[in-house]
Amino acid sequence: MDYIDAFVAAVPTENKELYLEHAKTSVALFKEYGALRVVECWGDDVPDGKITSFPMAVKCEANETVVFSWVTWPDKKTRDAGMEGLMQDPRMDMEMPFDMTRIIFGGFQMILNE
C-alpha cells in the first residue's frame, strides 16, 4: 500500500509565489526519485487552538500562513531510497522560502484509502 510523507510549515504570506515556485521545482525532483504524487495546500481555514493546532505546532506568526503538504510513494522501500537520493542531490540545495526550523514532518503507513 502507498506510503505518505506529510509536512506542515509556516510560510510568510508574502512568499506565497516563491513557495509555489519552490514546490514546482521540488515536485519534479520528488517524482524523479519515485514519488507518485505531491500535494501542496495553502492554509485557508486553519484556526488557532487552545491546547494544540496546526498554527501552534509550527509557531505560526501573524504574517505567516500554514502550509500542509504530502508526498505519496508506492511503498516505504521506494520512499526510503527516494529520500536518500533527494538528500544527496545537489539540486535540493536551494533557498527555502520559509523557516525550516519550524517544519513538522513524518512518514505514515496508509491503512485505509477509499
Side-chain angles (χ1 to χ4, degrees):
M1 188 164 285
D2 292 346
Y3 193 84
I4 306 295
D5 276 318
F7 308 88
V8 180
V11 178
T13 304
E14 67 182 17
N15 285 357
K16 184 177 182 179
E17 290 305 315
L18 285 173
Y19 182 83
L20 186 56
E21 288 174 30
H22 166 78
K24 287 178 180 178
T25 300
S26 297
V27 73
L29 295 173
F30 273 89
K31 287 187 173 183
E32 183 178 321
Y33 282 95
L36 301 173
R37 182 177 183 205
V38 178
V39 177
E40 295 284 349
C41 304
W42 191 259
D44 179 57
D45 184 13
V46 187
D48 288 322
K50 291 184 180 181
I51 296 174
T52 190
S53 66
F54 282 115
M56 291 170 71
V58 294
K59 299 183 185 210
C60 192
E61 298 174 5
N63 65 337
E64 295 176 320
T65 300
V66 174
V67 172
F68 176 65
S69 310
W70 69 91
V71 179
T72 304
W73 303 89
D75 52 51
K76 189 173 190 303
K77 182 179 177 182
T78 303
R79 178 267 198 166
D80 289 348
M83 289 300 279
E84 183 177 336
L86 280 163
M87 293 303 110
Q88 295 175 12
D89 192 315
R91 296 173 294 173
M92 287 297 289
D93 291 336
M94 57 183 102
E95 186 175 336
M96 298 295 179
F98 61 95
D99 181 357
M100 285 291 292
T101 65
R102 293 185 287 139
I103 190 171
I104 60 173
F105 58 91
F108 298 85
Q109 294 178 351
M110 189 178 297
I111 60 172
L112 180 68
N113 183 15
E114 293 193 30

